[in-house]
Structure formats: C-alpha cells, structure tokens
Amino acid sequence: MTPGTGRTLTAYRFGRAGARPKAYLQAAIHANELPGVMALHHLLPMLVSADAGGRIKGEIVVVPTINPIGLSQLVGNNHLGRYDFLGRDNFNRNWLDLSDAVEERVGHRLGRNAAENVALIRKAALAALAVMKPVNELQALRVEAMKLSIDADVVLDLHCDMEAVLHLFTAERDVHGPARVLAADIGAEATLYNEPYPSPTTFSGANGALWARLAERHPQAEIPQACLSATIEYRGQHDVNHVLGDSDARNLYRFLVRRGIVSGRAGVLPRLKAQPSPIAGMDVGYCPKSGMLVYHLPKGARVKKGMAVCEVIDPLDARGPKARTQMIARTDGILFARRLDGRLAWPGAVAFRIAGQERLAHRKGMSGLDD
Ligand SMILES: [Zn+2]
C-alpha cells in the first residue's frame, strides 16, 4: 500500500488439495480478537500430527491470523483491530457477494442435479475471484481470503466479543441440521441464526449466503446449502489461556472428525447447551446517554424481561442514585454478551445482547450486527 511495506497471509493446508469435505478456518479478522487464534494455536499441532498419520480424509485450510492490516494498527500502545484505518470499514462487513458473478457465469446451467450445481457454482465463484482486481490492501485481503474459503463445505470464522460466553452466529438454513451439531460440539451457550440468511456481508455470511441467494433465484434447480458457514464468538477478548485454547481446539477437532474431514471416532455428541434463537429475538441494549457503564448481571446470566441489566451513570449529576439510568431487558433469555464495568458509554453504544426465543417488534428488519 505504501513504499517499503508489504503484507503476507500464512495459510496451512492439510490433506490433499481438492479432497472432500473441505473445511476452512480463520481467526482474527477483527485483529484484536485473539481467543480464536489461541484455539488455532492448539489445533494446528493436532492437525499436523493427524496429517502425518494419514488421518485427514478431506482438506483443511487454516489461517491463524487472517488480517495483517488490522494486526498492525497500533496507536499509542493500543491495538485497534476492528475497523480499517484507511476507509473506516468494519473488517467483518462488506465481504464479497459473489451471487451476481456466479449467476452471470453459470446461472443458465443450474438444473436438477445437486452435485453438478455445487461443482458449477464453486468453479464459477473461484473464477470470479480470480479475475478481480483489488485496488487496495483491504480489497486484496477480502479476495485472497475468499479464494481460500468459497469452495469449502465448512467455513468457521473465529471471533470474540468484549465480555461474553461462547456463542455462535449462523443461518436458518443450517441451524436445524449441521449448525446444531457444531454448536453442540463446541459447547456454544447461545446460537443465533439469521432468517433466512445473513444480509450484512460478514465473512461467514458471504460464504454461506451465496448458496441461499442462488437457491432463491432458481427455485426449480436443486441448490443445496453446500457450505455450513458460522461465526464462532470465543467468549471475551481477554479469555486467552491454554486451558480454554486446548479445550476449544479439541472440540473443533472432534467436530472435524464428526464431519468426516478427519478420520476417527467423534463419540457421542455433547448435549446442546441452549436452543438456537432467531436474530430477530436478540435484544440489543443501546445506551440511551453518555456516562459510565456498570452491570448488575454477569455474562451468561439467564434474564427475565423487565430486569435491569446495567446502568449508565452520569458523572456530572450529584444526585447519587438519580444519576443512574437503568437499562432493562426486553426479553427472557441469555445475557450472552456485555461490555466491561466502568467503560465509557455513549448514546447508541451497544451495552449488551440477550438471546431470546421470541421475535421482538423493535428488532424487525435489523441485521443483528450493529457495529
Ligand atoms: Zn469480531
């Protein structure tokens, strides 16, 4: 991008190129979210040894840190890895929707044979990426990452929240089948799904929605959801340690075995910790004013509608308790993500998220991912 600088991506490949099923895993597209990197740190040696032992049946591509741009964004001893400094884009939005490009190339050839359609679509998507001419490093990053992921059967994008329990974002098309299995295997304490598929083009959304969009355009053709694509939120930003990293890696490995990508016995599927809930049922607490955030409830708490989750304290108001504005849960559910106590809040800032089963009127038409 600038004289004297360059970026590289490091991708590990296991198994034979082109073997199926293919899994693609990446971490830290939000470059300051390292718990997923820790999980991959523990998973990589497991895959190295499985590969040496001939146990990789499909193909696995792992990119431990996908975002060298964000990794370099150090300012005054702070690491700011969520938004691109150049265009202020959220690194996990505006990924490429390839459905038009695929439509143009092979739309007229999609018919009743599902396997043929899958092969045609994957090939067309890769061909579309191959001719793209990115004009800056962020665009280049997006194209290169999707070249690795778009033909995969499983795409797992590893993130975290600020303070959270392990949770998962996926699409309705997956949630009743393969994503349920994923959620059980990784121990997700909340699973949220977009209906029918994600509209904001997150990385996992772009990979999964390609199939949904084409299926919608071609109701007569057999277009399966050929890619299980999910965003896994590995708890909070500071939840990076060997105990969690090791157990998260083992759970991912077991899921890869269960999917037949690695040979072995996956064993009994762990019990699903929480029923999946629709994004439209996710209560998002937006701060009504500026002040200091203080929570009444810990992450993971089961909440009831009407409970005070946290409060915003106006430091310039001398009236003690009257200086505190309560923020109330508008649904029953799991408080799966919150911020840190003592954080500065501002109007519109997200203070918490609750996974509830009931669709909320005020959430209609919202994507669920606000920032
Ligand atoms: Zn993230």
Side-chain angles (χ1 to χ4, degrees):
M1 274 296 282
T2 50
T5 65
R7 312 280 192 198
T8 54
L9 283 179
T10 299
Y12 285 89
R13 289 175 182 277
F14 302 97
R16 187 172 50 79
R20 294 280 162 187
K22 174 182 173 180
Y24 173 79
L25 292 89
Q26 70 172 31
I29 187 64
H30 287 143
N32 53 347
E33 298 177 356
L34 300 183
V37 179
M38 189 60 160
L40 294 182
H41 167 71
H42 281 270
L43 180 65
L44 279 168
M46 296 180 195
L47 295 178
V48 168
S49 116
D51 207 11
R55 296 191 298 278
I56 310 275
K57 297 298 170 198
E59 184 185 8
I60 303 171
V61 177
V62 178
V63 182
T65 58
I66 187 66
N67 185 359
I69 307 165
L71 279 177
S72 74
Q73 294 186 166
L74 305 176
V75 184
N77 282 319
N78 285 298
H79 181 201
L80 304 176
R82 190 171 181 85
Y83 299 90
D84 178 35
F85 280 0
L86 181 65
R88 289 189 284 173
D89 238 12
N90 182 322
F91 282 119
N92 197 30
R93 301 291 183 276
N94 302 317
W95 283 79
L96 309 164
D97 173 7
L98 295 173
S99 56
D100 285 339
V102 169
E103 176 69 29
E104 229 166 76
R105 283 177 165 76
V106 297
H108 59 287
R109 292 171 62 193
L110 300 173
R112 306 292 301 170
N113 185 319
E116 267 173 30
N117 292 340
V118 170
L120 277 173
I121 292 167
R122 283 180 175 152
K123 204 171 155 201
L126 287 169
L129 289 164
V131 298
M132 283 186 178
K133 300 210 167 12
V135 300
N136 63 36
E137 61 180 355
L138 178 55
Q139 286 182 16
L141 170 64
R142 288 184 168 141
V143 171
E144 293 309 315
M146 288 193 75
K147 281 181 187 171
L148 298 171
S149 70
I150 197 66
D151 63 342
D153 300 270
V154 174
V155 170
L156 302 180
D157 190 23
L158 314 188
H159 288 246
C160 69
D161 208 303
M162 190 165 288
E163 199 171 54
V165 292
L166 206 172
H167 59 283
L168 184 65
F169 289 100
T170 186
E172 191 189 19
R173 282 183 126 218
D174 284 322
V175 81
H176 305 294
R180 239 184 133 78
V181 174
L182 173 65
D185 257 329
I186 65 171
E189 300 193 41
T191 298
L192 296 109
Y193 59 90
N194 283 280
E195 296 167 309
Y197 54 80
S199 48
T201 39
T202 60
F203 176 77
S204 85
N207 280 281
L210 171 66
W211 302 94
R213 289 201 166 100
L214 290 167
E216 226 168 48
R217 283 190 194 192
H218 296 274
Q220 308 306 326
E222 282 299 325
I223 301 176
Q225 184 61 31
C227 174
L228 163 63
S229 188
T231 300
I232 304 178
E233 303 277 351
Y234 277 113
R235 311 175 190 86
Q237 240 171 342
H238 301 292
D239 293 321
V240 179
N241 59 59
H242 286 296
V243 173
L244 288 174
D246 177 63
S247 83
D248 289 338
R250 284 172 195 279
N251 290 345
L252 284 171
Y253 188 90
R254 188 177 59 227
F255 174 73
L256 294 172
V257 171
R258 202 178 301 286
R259 291 285 303 210
I261 303 169
V262 180
S263 69
R265 274 224 276 268
V268 180
L269 185 67
R271 189 182 56 82
L272 193 63
K273 290 188 179 172
Q275 284 309 310
S277 50
I279 292 266
M282 177 173 74
D283 184 18
V284 181
Y286 298 100
C287 293
K289 58 197 292 190
S290 174
M292 194 163 51
L293 259 181
V294 174
Y295 287 85
H296 306 305
L297 300 171
K299 64 184 176 188
R302 309 267 154 173
V303 301
K304 289 275 178 210
K305 189 175 172 178
M307 277 172 89
V309 176
C310 58
E311 60 189 20
V312 182
I313 300 173
D314 178 354
L316 305 183
D317 185 334
R319 294 175 301 153
K322 287 192 172 155
R324 304 168 195 161
T325 304
Q326 303 300 317
M327 293 182 65
I328 306 297
R330 288 171 290 184
T331 189
D332 295 355
I334 300 161
L335 175 65
F336 67 88
R338 44 165 269 186
R339 302 276 148 132
L340 298 172
D341 277 307
R343 187 176 156 87
L344 178 72
W346 52 89
V350 173
F352 61 81
R353 297 176 205 271
I354 299 169
Q357 292 296 337
E358 255 170 62
R359 288 164 182 79
L360 302 167
H362 68 278
R363 295 286 307 159
K364 286 251 170 67
M366 299 192 78
S367 64
L369 300 166
D370 322 81
D371 57 347

